[in-house]
Amino acid sequence: MKNSVLTDLRRMLPLAWPVFIGQIAVLSFATVDTLLLARYSNIDLAALSIGAAVYISVFVGLMGIVLAVSPIVGQLFGAGELEASGDQLHQAVWTALGLAVLGDLALLFPGPFLAISHVGPEVESRVRDYLLALAFALPPALVFMAYRGFNVAVSRPKVVMALQVGGLLAKIPLSNWMIFGGHGMPELGSLGCGAATAIVMWVQALAALVVLRKDPFYERFGLHRGARLQRPDWPKLAKLLKLGIPMGAGLMIEVTGFTFMALFIARLGPTIVAGHELAVNLVAMMFMLPYAIGNAAGTLVAQRIGADDLEDARRLGWHGIVIGLGFAFVLGAAVFFGRVQVLGLYTRDAALVAAALPLLLWVWLFHVSDAVQTVAAFVLRAHHIATAPMIIYTLALWGVGLGGGNWLAFGGVAWVPPLLQGASGFWFAATLGLLLAAIGLSVLLARAHWKELQNPRLPAPAR
């Protein structure tokens, strides 16, 4: 009997809800900093917006490469190859350490990013200090991504969630102390946000190592108490990078198509970019729901591919997209109709609310399009398809999104209506780009399924 959408939703929920809560905790790092700096200084809030855009642009691309461990381990786990699954975690850690060196160079020398934003010297100084602190956070953050990708692939996301929630609970008082000072700590403003994040990231990575060594669950993967980090295995590293580089590039294009908006919008002034930061944080929080569904769908699809059950894998993929679309429509509607009250939770500054309110007109459509393309991308990665999505992202998100937004906002076109001018122009173009990406990735997934039907795989030998 074929599974219905509701049946597959029940299969996805045990994997989706821990990822959702864990990612909300991660995103809440930025939310905490945004709320605290909104009460501290608009200049520091603008620096956070620009600095966070730079960091996320660097981190997400590198994270995407490391997270190639997830679809690889997912297929191995589905095939019952447990020790091979554990071996991939070792190679993912080496990948994370190597990429951290490259990422830190970008954070320590952010000149190209700052040149785009055209910020004043006061804001630029704060951005550089903030990124210096985050350079210390990047290595443990990427190593933790290897641990996270492995756990999600073997259907064990709850332990990752627990560590992420614990990190948030430590981050809240630490950021407050470092931003506002007191008890021997000087006021650090936006620099305090970065320093608090770095401390928490190191503690979180060390806690993951302790769990990995002491939890008997990992023994079946050869990750027992006395196991040491294996040497780099070049064929396995090559396999991970072959999938990971286009994955990381696609994620970087996806995220920079959004985060670079802050760098361009910074030209419109600190109040406008601060209002944009509120809208960004809100839509990023909403994004965690389709992200969690995509993670769950991608994990199950990879496992079913490994088990040679391609029919179930195809069905799970399409059902994941339908589920993501449905949840996104409802959540987007709720935020759209309650947008004034939602923004009131962030700030009482009338100027900031006025700057952010017009942007939320696009959030509903933006979120729905984002949900479809997100789940479709996760399912495609489960099939080890990453290069074609990268090309689609380049054309849709950079070409239409950033290029179109820059043209609407700064092109000086007289006939563009006020609703599509300034920051709103960027949001309109980004929404259109996401819609095109959602269509393109869905067509690509349908083509991949058609090719599988034309060339069915032979059943796997008995193990």
Side-chain angles (χ1 to χ4, degrees):
M1 179 180 176
K2 291 185 177 181
N3 291 339
S4 66
V5 174
L6 185 59
T7 300
D8 283 340
L9 173 61
R10 294 193 185 102
R11 296 169 69 185
M12 293 178 194
L13 281 178
L15 298 176
W17 74 260
V19 171
F20 175 73
I21 293 177
Q23 289 303 117
I24 286 291
V26 170
L27 186 62
S28 294
F29 277 43
T31 304
V32 167
D33 291 341
T34 299
L35 291 172
L36 291 174
L37 288 179
R39 290 160 172 77
Y40 181 78
S41 161
N42 280 358
I43 297 295
D44 282 86
L45 183 59
L48 173 70
S49 176
I50 297 165
V54 174
Y55 177 74
I56 291 171
S57 301
V58 172
F59 173 71
V60 168
L62 302 180
M63 176 193 77
I65 299 175
V66 175
L67 285 181
V69 68
S70 196
I72 293 173
V73 169
Q75 289 196 12
L76 292 171
F77 181 71
E81 298 180 14
L82 301 186
E83 288 194 11
S85 300
D87 291 344
Q88 287 293 336
L89 177 57
H90 291 272
Q91 305 312 312
V93 170
W94 282 115
T95 302
L97 294 174
L99 293 174
V101 176
L102 299 177
D104 276 348
L105 289 175
L107 296 178
L108 294 173
F109 301 99
F113 296 100
L114 296 175
I116 295 174
S117 61
H118 293 186
V119 295
E122 190 175 8
V123 174
E124 179 177 336
S125 175
R126 285 170 168 79
V127 171
R128 288 183 180 274
D129 289 343
Y130 176 71
L131 292 176
L132 174 63
L134 288 182
F136 290 95
L138 185 61
L142 287 175
V143 170
F144 186 79
M145 285 301 102
Y147 177 75
R148 178 194 134 192
F150 176 84
N151 276 272
V152 170
V154 298
S155 299
R156 202 166 189 262
K158 291 181 183 178
V159 65
V160 178
M161 176 195 72
L163 292 172
Q164 290 170 327
V165 171
L168 174 62
L169 295 178
K171 166 75 172 172
I172 294 172
L174 196 57
S175 279
N176 186 72
W177 181 44
M178 290 187 162
I179 290 171
F180 295 99
H183 303 288
M185 173 66 68
E187 293 184 17
L188 297 178
S190 53
L191 171 60
C193 297
T197 297
I199 293 170
V200 171
M201 285 296 98
W202 276 103
V203 172
Q204 187 171 267
L206 292 173
L209 177 61
V210 171
V211 173
L212 191 67
R213 289 301 184 91
K214 293 192 174 182
D215 191 336
F217 170 83
Y218 298 101
E219 292 183 6
R220 71 190 74 176
F221 302 100
L223 302 171
H224 50 280
R225 186 188 300 265
R228 296 182 178 181
L229 183 64
Q230 295 177 2
R231 293 180 178 180
D233 185 314
W234 301 114
K236 291 176 182 176
L237 280 173
K239 181 180 179 181
L240 192 149
L241 291 174
K242 182 179 179 181
L243 177 62
I245 289 175
M247 268 184 61
L251 284 173
M252 183 190 69
I253 292 166
E254 179 185 359
V255 170
T256 54
F258 189 49
T259 59
F260 273 32
M261 288 167 60
L263 303 180
F264 285 114
I265 291 172
R267 302 177 186 180
L268 301 175
T271 300
I272 297 297
V273 76
H276 167 77
E277 176 64 16
L278 298 186
V280 165
N281 188 262
L282 174 61
V283 81
M285 293 283 281
M286 296 166 64
F287 170 74
M288 291 303 110
L289 184 56
Y291 181 87
I293 294 170
N295 247 288
T299 296
L300 291 174
V301 168
Q303 291 176 358
R304 299 319 299 158
I305 291 173
D308 289 307
D309 190 350
L310 297 184
E311 182 181 356
D312 194 28
R314 287 190 289 270
R315 183 169 52 246
L316 279 163
W318 287 121
H319 285 177
I321 292 175
V322 171
I323 292 166
L325 175 62
F327 276 109
F329 184 86
V330 173
L331 179 58
V335 171
F336 175 78
F337 290 111
R339 57 191 180 276
V340 174
Q341 292 77 12
V342 170
L343 287 176
L345 298 175
Y346 282 90
T347 181
R348 297 179 181 177
D349 188 323
L352 284 182
V353 172
L357 193 59
L359 306 181
L360 266 65
L361 294 174
W362 301 109
V363 163
W364 191 356
L365 288 175
F366 183 100
H367 181 55
V368 169
S369 301
D370 201 16
V372 174
Q373 70 85 16
T374 297
V375 180
F378 269 106
V379 175
L380 285 166
R381 290 168 201 149
H383 287 269
H384 290 191
I385 299 173
T387 301
M390 176 189 69
I391 296 171
I392 291 173
Y393 280 141
T394 302
L395 297 174
L397 305 186
W398 275 2
V400 175
L402 281 180
N406 190 63
W407 179 70
L408 288 171
F410 304 114
V413 184
W415 54 265
V416 174
L419 186 62
L420 300 182
Q421 294 176 0
S424 294
F426 273 102
W427 279 80
F428 168 76
T431 300
L432 180 59
L434 280 173
L435 178 60
L436 293 174
I439 295 171
L441 294 180
S442 298
V443 171
L444 185 61
L445 180 60
R447 182 173 179 270
H449 288 169
W450 179 83
K451 289 178 68 176
E452 287 176 354
L453 290 171
Q454 299 303 310
N455 301 284
R457 292 169 53 178
L458 295 175
R463 294 180 173 89

